[in-house]
Short mmCIF file of all heavy atoms in Angstrom, two decimals:
data_model
loop_
_atom_site.label_atom_id
_atom_site.label_comp_id
_atom_site.label_asym_id
_atom_site.label_seq_id
_atom_site.Cartn_x
_atom_site.Cartn_y
_atom_site.Cartn_z
N ASN T 4 1.27 7.26 1.01
CA ASN T 4 0.38 8.45 1.06
C ASN T 4 -1.02 7.79 1.72
O ASN T 4 -1.76 8.45 2.52
CB ASN T 4 0.15 9.18 -0.12
CG ASN T 4 -0.45 8.29 -1.25
OD1 ASN T 4 0.07 7.32 -1.51
ND2 ASN T 4 -1.35 8.84 -1.97
N PHE T 31 -27.02 17.60 9.29
CA PHE T 31 -25.57 17.98 9.38
C PHE T 31 -24.94 17.96 8.01
O PHE T 31 -23.57 18.17 7.84
CB PHE T 31 -24.90 16.91 10.29
CG PHE T 31 -25.41 16.86 11.62
CD1 PHE T 31 -26.41 16.02 11.95
CD2 PHE T 31 -24.88 17.80 12.66
CE1 PHE T 31 -26.97 15.96 13.17
CE2 PHE T 31 -25.44 17.61 13.95
CZ PHE T 31 -26.46 16.75 14.18
N PRO T 33 -24.13 19.38 3.93
CA PRO T 33 -24.21 20.47 3.19
C PRO T 33 -25.42 20.33 2.06
O PRO T 33 -25.80 19.10 1.84
CB PRO T 33 -22.87 20.59 2.47
CG PRO T 33 -22.37 19.22 2.65
CD PRO T 33 -22.84 18.56 3.76
N PRO T 38 -20.03 22.09 -3.37
CA PRO T 38 -18.83 21.35 -4.01
C PRO T 38 -18.27 20.24 -3.29
O PRO T 38 -17.53 19.43 -3.90
CB PRO T 38 -17.88 22.61 -4.16
CG PRO T 38 -18.61 23.74 -4.02
CD PRO T 38 -19.85 23.59 -3.26
N ASN T 41 -18.56 16.90 -4.83
CA ASN T 41 -17.59 16.39 -5.85
C ASN T 41 -16.45 15.61 -5.50
O ASN T 41 -15.94 14.83 -6.25
CB ASN T 41 -17.17 17.75 -6.69
CG ASN T 41 -18.24 18.40 -7.36
OD1 ASN T 41 -19.19 17.91 -7.91
ND2 ASN T 41 -18.22 19.79 -7.40
N ARG T 63 -34.79 7.29 8.50
CA ARG T 63 -35.37 6.02 9.15
C ARG T 63 -34.48 4.81 8.91
O ARG T 63 -34.31 4.05 9.86
CB ARG T 63 -36.71 5.81 8.57
CG ARG T 63 -37.96 6.50 9.14
CD ARG T 63 -39.25 5.85 8.85
NE ARG T 63 -39.42 5.68 7.38
CZ ARG T 63 -40.04 6.69 6.74
NH1 ARG T 63 -40.50 7.81 7.25
NH2 ARG T 63 -40.19 6.57 5.45
N ARG T 80 -19.40 -7.91 20.17
CA ARG T 80 -18.12 -8.01 20.89
C ARG T 80 -17.66 -9.29 21.27
O ARG T 80 -16.48 -9.75 21.20
CB ARG T 80 -18.33 -7.03 22.06
CG ARG T 80 -18.40 -5.57 21.71
CD ARG T 80 -18.21 -4.74 22.95
NE ARG T 80 -18.28 -3.34 22.62
CZ ARG T 80 -19.05 -2.32 23.10
NH1 ARG T 80 -20.08 -2.85 23.99
NH2 ARG T 80 -19.01 -1.09 22.73
N PHE T 81 -18.67 -10.20 21.70
CA PHE T 81 -18.37 -11.55 22.15
C PHE T 81 -17.76 -12.37 20.84
O PHE T 81 -16.89 -13.07 21.08
CB PHE T 81 -19.68 -12.24 22.69
CG PHE T 81 -19.48 -13.62 23.00
CD1 PHE T 81 -18.80 -13.98 24.18
CD2 PHE T 81 -19.93 -14.69 22.11
CE1 PHE T 81 -18.61 -15.42 24.40
CE2 PHE T 81 -19.66 -15.88 22.38
CZ PHE T 81 -19.11 -16.32 23.56
N VAL T 94 -25.60 -14.04 14.82
CA VAL T 94 -25.62 -12.57 15.16
C VAL T 94 -25.82 -11.78 13.82
O VAL T 94 -26.52 -10.88 13.82
CB VAL T 94 -24.37 -12.17 15.95
CG1 VAL T 94 -24.35 -10.64 16.00
CG2 VAL T 94 -24.40 -12.80 17.27
N LEU T 98 -28.81 -9.37 13.13
CA LEU T 98 -28.62 -7.96 12.90
C LEU T 98 -29.42 -7.47 11.62
O LEU T 98 -30.11 -6.56 11.61
CB LEU T 98 -27.14 -7.69 12.67
CG LEU T 98 -26.28 -7.33 13.87
CD1 LEU T 98 -24.85 -7.30 13.45
CD2 LEU T 98 -26.73 -5.94 14.39
N ALA T 99 -29.19 -8.24 10.49
CA ALA T 99 -29.79 -7.91 9.28
C ALA T 99 -31.38 -7.98 9.48
O ALA T 99 -31.97 -7.05 8.77
CB ALA T 99 -29.33 -8.83 8.22
N GLY T 122 -25.50 0.37 -14.39
CA GLY T 122 -25.05 -0.13 -15.63
C GLY T 122 -24.95 -1.56 -15.73
O GLY T 122 -23.96 -1.96 -16.40
N ALA T 136 -17.15 -16.81 2.83
CA ALA T 136 -16.71 -15.37 2.92
C ALA T 136 -17.04 -14.68 4.22
O ALA T 136 -16.20 -13.96 4.79
CB ALA T 136 -17.35 -14.57 1.83
N VAL T 140 -14.53 -12.82 6.97
CA VAL T 140 -14.73 -11.65 7.61
C VAL T 140 -14.50 -11.77 9.09
O VAL T 140 -13.66 -10.92 9.72
CB VAL T 140 -16.17 -11.09 7.46
CG1 VAL T 140 -16.47 -9.92 8.27
CG2 VAL T 140 -16.39 -10.73 5.97
N VAL T 145 -11.33 -10.74 13.99
CA VAL T 145 -10.80 -11.41 15.36
C VAL T 145 -9.31 -11.12 15.28
O VAL T 145 -8.74 -10.79 16.45
CB VAL T 145 -11.15 -12.96 15.36
CG1 VAL T 145 -10.42 -13.63 16.45
CG2 VAL T 145 -12.70 -13.01 15.63
N THR T 152 -7.75 0.53 11.95
CA THR T 152 -9.10 0.30 12.28
C THR T 152 -10.07 0.58 11.00
O THR T 152 -10.92 -0.17 10.68
CB THR T 152 -9.61 1.24 13.43
OG1 THR T 152 -8.90 0.77 14.59
CG2 THR T 152 -11.02 0.89 13.82
N ARG T 155 -9.67 -2.09 8.42
CA ARG T 155 -10.29 -3.29 8.73
C ARG T 155 -11.84 -3.15 8.50
O ARG T 155 -12.46 -4.05 8.05
CB ARG T 155 -10.07 -3.62 10.23
CG ARG T 155 -8.74 -4.26 10.53
CD ARG T 155 -8.68 -4.95 11.82
NE ARG T 155 -9.08 -4.08 12.90
CZ ARG T 155 -8.33 -3.31 13.57
NH1 ARG T 155 -7.02 -3.25 13.31
NH2 ARG T 155 -8.67 -2.56 14.71
N HIS T 167 -22.80 -11.11 -0.12
CA HIS T 167 -24.29 -11.06 -0.26
C HIS T 167 -24.91 -12.36 0.24
O HIS T 167 -25.66 -13.11 -0.52
CB HIS T 167 -24.64 -10.85 -1.77
CG HIS T 167 -25.93 -10.10 -1.92
ND1 HIS T 167 -26.16 -8.71 -1.94
CD2 HIS T 167 -27.31 -10.60 -2.12
CE1 HIS T 167 -27.32 -8.29 -2.10
NE2 HIS T 167 -28.10 -9.37 -2.14
N ARG T 175 -27.29 -2.94 4.70
CA ARG T 175 -27.42 -2.42 6.02
C ARG T 175 -26.47 -3.21 6.95
O ARG T 175 -25.91 -2.67 7.83
CB ARG T 175 -28.94 -2.66 6.42
CG ARG T 175 -29.95 -1.88 5.60
CD ARG T 175 -31.35 -2.16 5.97
NE ARG T 175 -32.17 -2.20 4.72
CZ ARG T 175 -33.43 -1.88 4.73
NH1 ARG T 175 -34.03 -1.58 5.86
NH2 ARG T 175 -34.15 -1.91 3.61
N LEU T 176 -26.48 -4.60 6.83
CA LEU T 176 -25.55 -5.36 7.54
C LEU T 176 -24.04 -4.78 7.38
O LEU T 176 -23.40 -4.66 8.37
CB LEU T 176 -25.60 -6.77 7.21
CG LEU T 176 -24.66 -7.73 7.84
CD1 LEU T 176 -24.77 -7.85 9.27
CD2 LEU T 176 -24.72 -9.16 7.10
N ARG T 198 -24.95 5.40 4.18
CA ARG T 198 -25.87 5.42 3.17
C ARG T 198 -26.25 6.76 2.67
O ARG T 198 -26.34 6.94 1.41
CB ARG T 198 -27.19 4.69 3.50
CG ARG T 198 -28.23 4.35 2.47
CD ARG T 198 -29.36 3.45 2.97
NE ARG T 198 -30.14 3.09 1.71
CZ ARG T 198 -31.29 3.67 1.45
NH1 ARG T 198 -31.83 4.59 2.10
NH2 ARG T 198 -32.06 3.23 0.35
N ALA T 204 -23.36 10.75 -3.51
CA ALA T 204 -22.05 10.63 -4.26
C ALA T 204 -22.26 10.26 -5.73
O ALA T 204 -21.24 10.18 -6.40
CB ALA T 204 -21.09 9.64 -3.59
N HIS T 209 -20.40 3.18 -5.02
CA HIS T 209 -20.53 1.90 -5.60
C HIS T 209 -19.47 1.54 -6.63
O HIS T 209 -18.99 0.46 -6.70
CB HIS T 209 -21.90 1.76 -6.07
CG HIS T 209 -22.91 1.72 -5.19
ND1 HIS T 209 -23.52 2.83 -4.79
CD2 HIS T 209 -23.46 0.72 -4.35
CE1 HIS T 209 -24.58 2.57 -3.79
NE2 HIS T 209 -24.52 1.25 -3.45
N ARG T 211 -16.37 2.68 -6.74
CA ARG T 211 -15.17 2.46 -6.14
C ARG T 211 -15.04 1.26 -5.45
O ARG T 211 -14.13 0.50 -5.35
CB ARG T 211 -14.75 3.56 -5.10
CG ARG T 211 -14.40 4.98 -5.91
CD ARG T 211 -14.09 6.02 -4.83
NE ARG T 211 -13.66 7.27 -5.54
CZ ARG T 211 -14.46 8.39 -5.75
NH1 ARG T 211 -15.80 8.19 -5.34
NH2 ARG T 211 -14.17 9.36 -6.27
N GLY T 219 -9.08 -5.01 -7.50
CA GLY T 219 -8.00 -4.86 -6.40
C GLY T 219 -7.59 -3.49 -6.36
O GLY T 219 -6.41 -3.37 -5.70
N GLY T 223 -8.90 4.45 -4.28
CA GLY T 223 -10.11 5.33 -4.32
C GLY T 223 -11.31 4.95 -3.38
O GLY T 223 -11.78 5.95 -2.91
N ILE T 225 -10.80 3.68 -0.33
CA ILE T 225 -10.17 4.13 0.92
C ILE T 225 -10.24 5.64 1.01
O ILE T 225 -10.78 6.22 2.19
CB ILE T 225 -8.67 3.72 1.20
CG1 ILE T 225 -8.78 2.21 1.34
CG2 ILE T 225 -8.10 4.39 2.36
CD1 ILE T 225 -7.36 1.52 1.26
N ASP T 226 -10.05 6.45 -0.08
CA ASP T 226 -10.03 7.75 -0.01
C ASP T 226 -11.57 8.24 0.19
O ASP T 226 -11.81 9.32 1.03
CB ASP T 226 -9.55 8.47 -1.27
CG ASP T 226 -9.64 9.84 -1.36
OD1 ASP T 226 -8.74 10.55 -0.60
OD2 ASP T 226 -10.49 10.48 -2.04
N PHE T 227 -12.56 7.64 -0.44
CA PHE T 227 -13.88 7.88 -0.15
C PHE T 227 -14.18 7.68 1.37
O PHE T 227 -14.87 8.68 1.99
CB PHE T 227 -14.75 6.89 -1.06
CG PHE T 227 -16.34 7.21 -0.96
CD1 PHE T 227 -16.96 7.90 -2.02
CD2 PHE T 227 -16.96 6.78 0.21
CE1 PHE T 227 -18.28 8.17 -1.89
CE2 PHE T 227 -18.36 7.08 0.27
CZ PHE T 227 -19.00 7.70 -0.75
#
Side-chain angles (χ1 to χ4, degrees):
N4 64 312
F31 300 90
N41 293 327
R63 272 198 305 272
R80 286 189 178 125
F81 174 79
V94 171
L98 267 173
V140 171
V145 168
T152 302
R155 285 198 304 275
H167 210 87
R175 300 175 214 209
L176 172 64
R198 188 170 189 259
H209 294 93
R211 290 184 178 95
I225 290 170
D226 184 68
F227 182 104

